[in-house]
Amino acid sequence: MSETPATRAAAATPAGVARKIRGLSDRAIAWIFVGPTIFLLLAINIFPLIWTVRLSFTNFKANRNRPVEWIGTRNYERILTDSDIWLNMQATAHFLFWTIFFQVLIGFTLAYLINKKFKGNDLWTTIIVLPMMLSPAVVGNFWKFLYQPQIGLFNYVVGFFTGKEASSFEMLGSVDLAPWSIVIVDTWMWTPFVMLICLAGLRSIPDYIYEAAEIDRASKLRQFFTITVPMVLPFLMLAVLFRGIENFKMFDLVVQLTGGGPGSTTELTSINLKREAFEKWRTGYASAYAIILFVTVFGLASIYVKALNKVKER
């Protein structure tokens, strides 16, 4: 009989080690396998967080070799009283609200239409999902070319429907239009993600519920608002949670399109944090900034998850 790798490993194990292994409980063996993973998680996630909290109470600057001073909550006070940071928060809130609004509205509409069986259903689903498969860097460069006022296709399409000259406006260079240019691109890229979640919710509704509603002579509109919307609502809320967290820390797409400009019109909190940490080298200040953003996202997400759980229990 040929030896297997397991039998060869068992034969090569020293007798003393083999006796100790045989004496271990199932719980101890489980910890032997799980322990390295837990250690890596602590090293990669927990330790940097604790270190960041510590740095947030100091005046540490990574580009200067000088003694670190403990300054208490001074960094937090400066951040919370800085009007420029509140403007960045407003820009982030504007971006969050409108991207989530359009993505949920368009994503649910597409899911509702695709859920109706028709010829070419699978093909259209694949085509719609394509944007979310692309890298944000690729999408940013692609749309930056489309937004060019002289040769970009976007201005010509808008000009065709509005009658304006294609070169009469610039999406990325205008203070009023630049925020909306980012909203358009993010909506184009991530609406398919919301659509897939909504589609899963629509297809999880049993057919017999609609059949019972038709027997009771409920109209299609009444079925939509009393059956479809309530049963898909947890999926919609889940999509909002995912997109809200992702868009709050949006960075690469905005950098590729506007770099935070013109001026600071599209400078989201993530971009401002990067500038504080790696351009101005105010490491302690940036650490406090990061902790404030972390607490904000964690707190809002916790409240939202509780609301989501209540909706699911209804």
Side-chain angles (χ1 to χ4, degrees), residues 138-305:
V138 174
V139 172
N141 284 318
F142 171 71
W143 275 90
K144 194 170 185 177
F145 177 77
L146 289 180
Y147 280 142
Q148 290 294 326
Q150 302 298 331
I151 58 175
L153 181 63
F154 183 86
N155 283 31
Y156 284 95
V157 172
V158 173
F160 176 80
F161 288 103
T162 62
K164 291 185 177 181
E165 287 290 333
S167 58
S168 64
F169 63 96
E170 186 176 354
M171 291 294 295
L172 300 180
S174 170
V175 173
D176 296 326
L177 297 178
W180 292 105
S181 67
I182 300 173
V183 171
I184 291 171
V185 177
D186 192 77
T187 301
W188 175 83
M189 183 175 182
W190 290 110
T191 293
F193 176 80
V194 178
M195 183 200 74
L196 291 177
I197 295 180
C198 293
L199 189 60
L202 288 169
R203 292 184 176 174
S204 68
I205 303 175
D207 293 334
Y208 68 81
I209 297 180
Y210 289 107
E211 293 170 0
E214 289 178 358
I215 293 173
D216 292 337
R217 297 183 179 180
S219 65
K220 293 294 183 182
L221 186 63
R222 186 174 180 82
Q223 291 179 34
F224 178 79
F225 285 105
T226 59
I227 298 174
T228 305
V229 173
M231 298 196 74
V232 178
L233 185 58
F235 293 87
L236 277 171
M237 293 182 68
L238 192 63
V240 170
L241 177 64
F242 288 154
R243 292 309 309 147
I245 293 174
E246 286 297 317
N247 282 359
F248 192 88
K249 57 184 182 181
M250 174 64 66
F251 179 81
D252 40 11
L253 188 63
V254 180
V255 169
Q256 289 290 333
L257 286 171
T258 63
S264 58
T265 307
T266 60
E267 187 171 308
L268 306 183
T269 53
S270 57
I271 297 177
N272 189 27
L273 176 61
K274 176 257 182 183
R275 288 178 175 170
E276 294 291 343
F278 300 109
E279 293 181 13
K280 300 179 182 178
W281 294 103
R282 301 162 70 184
T283 312
Y285 182 88
S287 298
Y289 197 174
I291 294 299
I292 290 174
L293 296 181
F294 170 76
V295 171
T296 302
V297 175
F298 184 80
L300 293 176
S302 299
I303 296 171
Y304 190 86
V305 168

Side-chain angles (χ1 to χ4, degrees), residues 33-84:
F33 285 99
V34 175
T37 303
I38 294 177
F39 174 78
L40 285 175
L41 287 175
L42 291 173
I44 295 173
N45 294 326
I46 306 301
F47 174 75
L49 178 60
I50 296 173
W51 187 252
T52 302
V53 172
R54 180 186 178 277
L55 290 179
S56 68
F57 295 102
T58 68
N59 66 344
F60 177 65
K61 292 191 175 184
N63 65 335
R64 294 186 183 179
N65 186 16
R66 68 178 186 181
V68 178
E69 296 179 9
W70 186 270
I71 60 173
T73 61
R74 197 181 307 165
N75 285 329
Y76 292 94
E77 294 169 2
R78 291 171 60 192
I79 292 169
L80 295 176
T81 56
D82 191 337
S83 58
D84 291 335

Side-chain angles (χ1 to χ4, degrees), residues 18-36:
R19 282 195 299 271
K20 290 180 180 179
I21 292 175
R22 281 194 292 268
L24 293 175
S25 64
D26 292 340
R27 188 182 185 87
I29 293 174
W31 273 108
I32 290 174
F33 285 99
V34 175

